[in-house]
């Protein structure tokens, strides 16, 4: 097992199809990076949220990023559940992101997620950002399709607790859903902690299609 750090990361692009996707998928990793490097620049894009969900998404992003030096939170209004049918418009939006964003790290959806909106966001991420470090996060949900991730980030107890508390506090509208809760999210972090032998027993997991190590090897 190769152990590496994300110490050189300073500019991050977070992409989520819906309110709470980013927080569920990579919230702990973001909180850990922020604790280590307050000089981060984070662009946080939620593609579909309106009304109460938009307000929750904005509040959550503000709280997760409260200690970041530079942040740009964008909540868009593409139609939930219809992303494949709005593909042209969403692709144009991604092209606009590419024109004014130069991230060191991109968080996006798992490419084999069973939710059609999630899959399209992942596909367009790779179509648009072809020479970037991309980590695909996972979301437990009714649809299923958790896979076998290959990139793990260990989380300490304080960060894991902060993630769970913020999810509960910031998204009250989701509390009625049987898959949305600290027991589910905490269990997944515990499972991924086992898989990577995390010292804290907790981790978030990602899918890394391409990881390039650069050095004087020739």
């Amino acid at each position: 097992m190769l152990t590496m750090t994300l110490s050189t990361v300073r500019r991050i692009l977070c992409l989520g199809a819906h309110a709470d996707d980013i927080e569920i998928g990579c919230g702990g990793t973001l909180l850990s990076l922020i604790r280590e490097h307050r000089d981060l620049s984070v662009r946080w894009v939620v593609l579909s949220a309106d009304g109460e969900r938009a307000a929750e998404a904005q509040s959550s992003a503000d709280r997760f990023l409260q200690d970041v030096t530079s942040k740009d939170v964008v909540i868009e209004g593409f139609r939930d559940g219809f992303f494949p049918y709005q593909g042209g418009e969403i692709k144009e939006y991604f092209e606009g992101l590419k024109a004014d964003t130069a991230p060191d790290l991109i968080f996006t959806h798992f490419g084999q997620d069973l939710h059609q909106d999630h899959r399209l966001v992942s596909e367009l991420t790779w179509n648009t950002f072809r020479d970037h470090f991309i980590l695909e996060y996972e979301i437990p949900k009714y649809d299923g399709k958790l896979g076998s991730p290959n990139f793990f980030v260990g989380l300490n107890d304080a960060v894991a607790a902060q993630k769970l508390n913020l999810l509960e506090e910031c998204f009250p509208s989701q509390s009625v859903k049987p898959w949305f809760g600290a027991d589910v999210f905490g269990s997944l972090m515990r499972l991924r902690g086992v898989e990577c032998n995390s010292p804290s027993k907790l981790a978030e997991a990602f899918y890394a299609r391409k990881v390039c190590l650069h050095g004087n090897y020739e």
Side-chain angles (χ1 to χ4, degrees):
M1 182 173 67
L2 173 66
T3 300
M4 60 183 292
T5 70
L6 299 176
S7 58
T8 60
V9 170
R10 290 296 180 274
R11 299 182 304 276
I12 301 174
L13 173 61
C14 302
L15 298 169
H18 314 107
D20 72 33
D21 285 347
I22 295 169
E23 295 89 333
I24 294 171
C26 59
T29 300
L30 283 168
L31 291 171
S32 295
L33 286 169
I34 292 167
R35 288 185 176 212
E36 294 177 12
H37 310 289
R38 297 298 177 90
D39 59 338
L40 293 178
S41 174
V42 180
R43 189 162 193 180
W44 180 296
V45 179
V46 177
L47 290 162
S48 177
D50 57 17
E52 181 182 22
R53 292 286 277 152
E56 289 179 342
Q58 183 68 56
S59 174
S60 177
D62 289 340
R63 293 187 64 182
F64 269 85
L65 302 178
Q66 63 181 351
D67 293 322
V68 170
T69 300
S70 174
K71 65 182 179 182
D72 179 19
V73 178
V74 181
I75 312 296
E76 295 294 342
F78 293 103
R79 189 177 177 185
D80 183 3
F82 284 75
F83 280 23
Y85 311 103
Q86 294 183 287
E89 297 173 50
I90 299 175
K91 183 172 177 59
E92 289 288 352
Y93 184 84
F94 270 73
E95 290 298 318
L97 281 177
K98 180 175 69 173
D100 63 2
T101 306
D104 302 315
L105 170 61
I106 300 173
F107 289 110
T108 193
H109 287 277
F110 175 38
Q112 297 181 41
D113 193 305
L114 288 180
H115 195 296
Q116 66 277 3
D117 293 354
H118 297 180
R119 289 198 307 274
L120 184 70
V121 171
S122 182
E123 178 183 338
L124 290 178
T125 301
W126 285 97
N127 288 165
T128 307
F129 299 95
R130 306 182 67 85
D131 190 26
H132 293 75
F133 182 28
I134 299 174
L135 292 178
E136 301 177 14
Y137 57 76
E138 57 183 356
I139 298 178
K141 57 189 177 306
Y142 180 78
D143 309 78
K145 193 61 177 181
L146 289 176
S148 298
N150 57 7
F151 192 101
F152 297 84
V153 178
L155 305 176
N156 65 39
D157 291 337
V159 164
Q162 185 180 6
K163 170 184 173 174
L164 296 179
N165 289 338
L166 287 174
L167 279 167
E168 182 177 12
E169 293 171 6
C170 294
F171 296 102
S173 70
Q174 302 304 288
S175 62
V176 297
K177 295 185 176 179
W179 61 267
F180 191 100
D183 56 341
V184 175
F185 305 138
S187 296
L188 184 57
M189 288 191 286
R190 180 70 181 93
L191 174 62
R192 297 317 189 194
V194 170
E195 292 178 339
C196 69
N197 196 28
S198 169
S200 69
K201 302 181 180 180
L202 299 168
E204 284 181 339
F206 304 88
Y207 300 83
R209 299 189 199 180
K210 297 181 182 180
V211 178
C212 297
L213 297 179
H214 295 286
N216 297 318
Y217 304 127
E218 296 183 356

